Amino acid sequence: MALGLLVLSGFALFLSTWRRIVGPFFAVVQWTHIVGGILYGIAIIGWSRFFYPWAPGTQSRHLGPGYARWGYFILLVLLASGLGLLVGPSSTRAVATVLHGLSALALVVWALWHLLTRLPIWKKPSGEWHLSRRRALRWTAAAVVAVPVVMGLPTLMKMLSGRLFAEGSNDGALPGFVPYTVINGFPDIPREHWHLWVHGVPQAKTLDWTEYASLPRRQVVINFHCVTGWVVPHVEFEGVDLLQFLTQLGWDPTKKPWVTFYSGDGVYTDTLDIGQIREYRPLLADVIDHRPLPVAQGFPVRLLVPDMYGYKSVKWLVGIRVSERAEPGFWEQRGYPQNAYFGSYP
Ligand SMILES: Nc1nc2c(c(=O)[nH]1)N[C@H]1C(S)=C(S)[C@@H](COP(=O)(O)O)O[C@H]1N2
Ligand SMILES: [Mo]
């Protein structure tokens, strides 16, 4: 039961469709998941005999201890990575995010396997395989009911939350994100008025939305980390590959290895060199989780640098300059490292 809740709330935090639906409840779900996970961990470790019948050393009627050890092990990894995600430095969090997701997946697989092979659904306690007609019918009926219920759950939650809460908290950003800005408010640039200038390349030019939209596109799935500590796992961005785009305009990185990005807010900038661009393959992104970027998150186009902290990903992108020397970005002038790959900042 408790474990089911944890897995469900974990899904709600991880899957973009679910995240959007829990929208106004995001913080509640997050804290339920965290507090619940810790309590559950304590329960397992402290009172495993009472709360967790298949912990090592406990002889359950249906479950052998060797097999049980796996479940116990996975749960410990889940707990440890969850704690790492919560309190660790950002380098730990980057690793913990991946571990937490993988071990959650392992737990689901383990639990399903456990249900199928170990519980007295198909097997009698004596160990022999057994499936009476009545049991088979009952389980088929349960499956037939369960599938639409599980699939309909998000819609149901949406109906309920739509009634109780108005949309649009979090300044219109997707749940989990903190939409920073260094000016007063968010620039609201309609696509018809948006232009992207590119300077410093042989074929320097200014694109409008139509030209931009006709460029070849690519998708990336990343965990979005801010140096201040929040993470949104498993975010899908779509847009134009920066390296390919600049190469097409005749960029010669051996002569001009630096690229600086300018925001339409008039203040925010950031910079990358050719080594970073080759390694991280940044995107000029206009779609997040299959929708246009919200205004608060950089509409119509932002930069997205995978595996680097959020401050590298300039929002409301309007200009790109290629140059011989570095032009330190907004946060870099204020002490943050230029090379902001996960783990570079404590
Ligand atoms: N123009 C602009 N871009 C920006 C920022 C900003 O304040 N202004 N903040 C950066 C920081 S610190 C982070 S963590 C991310 C936040 O992205 P989000 O608004 O999608 O949450 O945007 C980055 N890009
Ligand atoms: Mo950030």
Side-chain angles (χ1 to χ4, degrees):
M1 230 319 258
L3 196 59
L5 259 184
L6 285 175
V7 170
L8 272 188
S9 55
F11 270 145
L13 297 175
F14 185 75
L15 296 175
S16 59
T17 39
W18 285 50
R19 208 151 52 211
R20 201 171 292 122
I21 289 149
V22 297
F25 300 111
F26 186 83
V28 180
V29 175
Q30 196 170 34
W31 281 106
T32 312
H33 189 79
I34 291 168
V35 174
I38 292 170
L39 289 180
Y40 195 74
I42 293 172
I44 291 165
I45 292 159
W47 301 285
S48 54
R49 273 157 197 282
F50 295 115
F51 286 93
Y52 198 65
W54 61 95
T58 333
Q59 277 298 347
S60 151
R61 236 181 336 137
H62 316 297
L63 305 159
Y67 153 83
R69 234 169 266 142
W70 276 106
Y72 195 75
F73 172 73
I74 296 172
L75 278 168
L76 282 183
V77 175
L78 260 177
L79 185 66
S81 57
L83 287 178
L85 201 52
L86 190 64
V87 295
S90 47
S91 48
T92 312
R93 277 199 305 270
V95 180
T97 308
V98 177
L99 258 185
H100 206 64
L102 285 179
S103 48
L105 188 70
L107 187 72
V108 170
V109 172
W110 180 88
L112 284 177
W113 182 247
H114 154 191
L115 274 176
L116 278 175
T117 61
R118 303 290 168 139
L119 280 188
I121 300 163
W122 321 111
K123 273 184 173 180
K124 280 181 169 173
S126 63
E128 84 203 53
W129 286 87
H130 170 76
L131 187 63
S132 71
R133 179 133 47 102
R134 199 197 293 164
R135 265 191 188 159
L137 277 177
R138 218 188 279 156
W139 277 92
T140 315
V144 168
V145 174
V147 169
V149 166
V150 168
M151 291 180 69
L153 211 61
T155 319
L156 191 73
M157 283 158 69
K158 190 179 205 161
M159 279 161 59
L160 286 175
S161 66
R163 284 250 189 93
L164 296 173
F165 291 87
E167 281 255 327
S169 56
N170 206 18
D171 284 319
L174 297 183
F177 286 89
V178 183
Y180 292 123
T181 177
V182 293
I183 59 163
N184 189 14
F186 308 115
D188 191 353
I189 314 170
R191 279 176 180 161
E192 314 85 76
H193 295 165
W194 176 81
H195 292 277
L196 178 67
W197 52 259
V198 188
H199 292 171
V201 285
Q203 295 159 55
K205 66 158 152 182
T206 301
L207 291 85
D208 62 15
W209 174 260
T210 322
E211 283 172 89
Y212 167 84
S214 68
L215 295 168
R217 300 171 70 74
R218 189 165 76 83
Q219 262 190 354
V220 293
V221 182
I222 52 122
N223 300 319
F224 196 98
H225 290 250
C226 172
V227 269
T228 61
W230 52 272
V231 185
V232 185
H234 197 77
V235 191
E236 297 183 49
F237 283 94
E238 202 187 294
V240 172
D241 185 87
L242 175 74
L243 182 57
Q244 211 181 334
F245 173 63
L246 289 179
T247 305
Q248 227 117 70
L249 299 181
W251 181 29
D252 178 1
T254 54
K255 292 208 188 94
K256 295 183 171 179
W258 290 93
V259 183
T260 306
F261 305 89
Y262 294 82
S263 170
D265 64 15
V267 186
Y268 203 93
T269 61
D270 200 85
T271 183
L272 295 169
D273 67 29
I274 177 64
Q276 296 170 321
I277 291 171
R278 283 219 182 97
E279 185 168 354
Y280 296 97
R281 294 310 284 263
L283 215 59
L284 310 176
D286 53 280
V287 166
I288 180 169
D289 285 341
H290 309 286
R291 323 187 151 189
L293 288 171
V295 167
Q297 293 188 267
F299 185 87
V301 176
R302 79 182 295 171
L303 186 67
L304 188 271
V305 190
D307 297 331
M308 283 205 192
Y309 288 113
Y311 69 85
K312 302 298 290 181
S313 295
V314 175
K315 299 192 284 187
W316 312 289
L317 185 70
V318 295
I320 301 176
R321 182 193 306 282
V322 172
S323 55
E324 285 155 39
R325 256 171 274 284
E327 298 175 44
F330 181 88
W331 283 116
E332 287 142 30
Q333 292 165 29
R334 289 159 180 77
Y336 279 86
Q338 191 275 330
N339 200 7
Y341 63 88
F342 297 161
S344 63
Y345 200 81

